[in-house]
Amino acid sequence: MDNTIKAWLFDILNSINEIESYFLDTPKLFEVYQNDLRTKRAVERNIEIIGEAMSRILKEDKDIQISNSRKIVDVRNRIIHGYDSVSDDVIWGM
């Protein structure tokens, strides 16, 4: 596997771990997430990173099979380009 792709996969893993870290000291409940603007923005940013890295991986190697990769990229695009239509339900459902 190409080192560039490995770097993007590492970025994805780091972003996933960062999202998980937001819920170490608080319950992982939708209502808690919904009422915490800082956490919401931080989660959205990490989803943007995950989606961008996924998009780059798919462009670099079309043979790579990653579950839900298209959905991940689509959610990233919705956050970036349709910021006014992003709902907490969509983000929480990721």
Side-chain angles (χ1 to χ4, degrees):
M1 182 180 297
D2 182 275
N3 282 337
T4 304
I5 291 175
K6 287 180 185 177
W8 291 326
L9 289 170
F10 185 74
D11 291 342
I12 290 170
L13 181 60
N14 280 339
S15 287
I16 291 168
N17 289 334
E18 192 169 313
I19 290 169
E20 288 293 324
S21 77
Y22 303 143
F23 299 98
L24 292 177
D25 298 327
T26 59
K28 194 186 251 185
L29 300 171
F30 180 66
E31 295 78 23
V32 173
Y33 169 79
Q34 207 172 20
N35 292 311
D36 185 349
L37 183 60
R38 286 183 190 176
T39 299
K40 286 176 19 174
R41 294 300 180 252
V43 167
E44 289 172 7
R45 176 64 180 140
N46 277 288
I47 292 172
E48 291 171 3
I49 292 168
I50 292 167
E52 180 62 23
M54 185 70 66
S55 177
R56 291 177 183 191
I57 290 167
L58 296 174
K59 287 177 185 172
E60 183 74 21
D61 186 344
K62 299 195 185 310
D63 294 328
I64 288 183
Q65 299 293 317
I66 300 174
S67 300
N68 296 313
S69 58
R70 189 70 246 160
K71 181 180 176 184
I72 293 166
V73 173
D74 290 346
V75 170
R76 176 257 181 216
N77 290 340
R78 186 167 178 189
I79 292 170
I80 296 290
H81 302 293
Y83 70 90
D84 56 340
S85 68
V86 174
S87 70
D88 293 340
D89 296 332
V90 169
I91 300 301
W92 190 255
M94 286 289 303

